[in-house]
Amino acid sequence: MKILTAIAILTLTFCVLDASDFDSAFGRVPTVSKKEAAAISEAREAGGEDAVKVLSAASKNDWAGSAVFFNLANLYASAGRFNEAADNYKMALKKLPSFFMAQKNLAMVLSESGNKPAAFAEMKKALALSGGSDSDILLWMASYHIENGDYSEALFCCNQALVYDSQNARAKTVKARILLRLDMLGECRAVCLSLLSENVKNTEALETLVVCRAKEGDYAGAISAAEIARALGANTTSSVEIADLYFSAGLYSDAAKEYASRAKAVSKNSLKNALFAMISDGKYAEARKFALGLGLPDSRQISAAAFAAEGKKSEAIAEYAGYFDAGGNDAKAHFEYAVLLLEKGDAVSAGPHFDAASKDSAYALAALYGKLRAAAAESDFMEALKIAKRIQSVEKSDEIELYIKYLNELDKSAQ
């Protein structure tokens, strides 16, 4: 979760003062001599690169003060020439160390150039000049701490910003996201609801509330917030996320509709999971209908599973056969097909599918039991004994031990 704070480049362009340097609320502001004023005025009229040339020439004179370097730095910053801007902000600060706007802008251009650690050091100086009250700086520092995983410090910065600007919606939004990261869910929800009471169209607050409520297990509330955010055109609350919420809430048909509407953008497994859940919920025809969006071979696996759950075993066997003919190789499908074949009395055909299913650890033990049933159905007691011993080596049980003894006795009597 990346939280960005935009800080505009502060300007003092064309400010002409008569007295000596004076104190402002945030540090000191430089005066501008007549020569400096003339150079700044000429730069304003020239514009563009010519303005840079005018102020660059002026900066080489002994009379050039903090204002000249500051305005030159602003021009470089506006042109994206951050290294040159930083050099000139530093010169402005050398002339007037307590110049708040130069200090803040220096930190900002260092940040824009990608040197966040250096920017952080300069931001701390700017914050000190502001008396610790500049909300832009505090939010930048919160973002910096978030990027470095220090959420407690980030929360402190947000709270400090709100001390001086209690209605700052951006600070509240960032705070809500930090609270979410810290799993302070009750406080996070309260901040989000406060933001929404001020502006119901605050999609960032809605999106944070979605995740907060989902973490709390309030899926109905999360869905409500997500649907409102989507209705407002939020880009980051996708129908995929809403589908996941529907799935978690047990609303499998709604989840499937959402997944199916974005079939090309989401993992097929998401839609398949929703369809399997629908089958478990007894919605067989509906699951088969949505399965068509999966394409082959997956649609036939869903169809087969639906028929099997519905008790239509012949149709299920036919669909599974079509699934494998189309290139399907899912362990779950292999196992369920093998069980159906075994129940039909075709133990020989079931065997290879139990073998295929056993390659997946989730079905390894169940597949062994299936092979055991197949061997017993074929009266192949030697094979059954071998399989029973393999089962016992994987998971010991009194039942399988008794069955091994039974098979041993059959073997002895056969001799």
Side-chain angles (χ1 to χ4, degrees), residues 231-283:
L232 292 171
N235 293 321
T236 55
T237 297
S238 67
S239 59
V240 179
E241 292 166 330
I242 294 172
D244 291 340
L245 292 171
Y246 277 126
F247 187 89
S248 298
L251 301 172
Y252 303 123
S253 295
D254 293 305
K257 288 175 186 176
E258 292 289 343
Y259 287 130
S261 71
R262 288 171 53 85
K264 293 182 180 178
V266 304
S267 164
K268 281 188 176 182
N269 285 335
S270 296
L271 178 53
K272 283 178 72 174
N273 288 339
L275 296 178
F276 281 129
M278 285 176 67
I279 291 169
S280 298
D281 213 26
K283 296 176 180 175

Side-chain angles (χ1 to χ4, degrees), residues 23 149 168-169 189 209 215 219 230 248 253 362 372 382:
D23 292 333
N168 190 315
R189 176 168 27 85
L209 185 59
K215 277 191 167 188
Y219 297 113
R230 184 163 66 173
S248 298
S253 295
L372 180 62
M382 288 293 292

Side-chain angles (χ1 to χ4, degrees), residues 168-177 191 195 202 204-205 208:
N168 190 315
R170 184 61 189 158
K172 289 181 183 179
T173 301
V174 175
K175 178 178 178 177
R177 293 188 178 184
V191 173
L195 284 164
N202 187 330
E204 285 185 278
T208 304

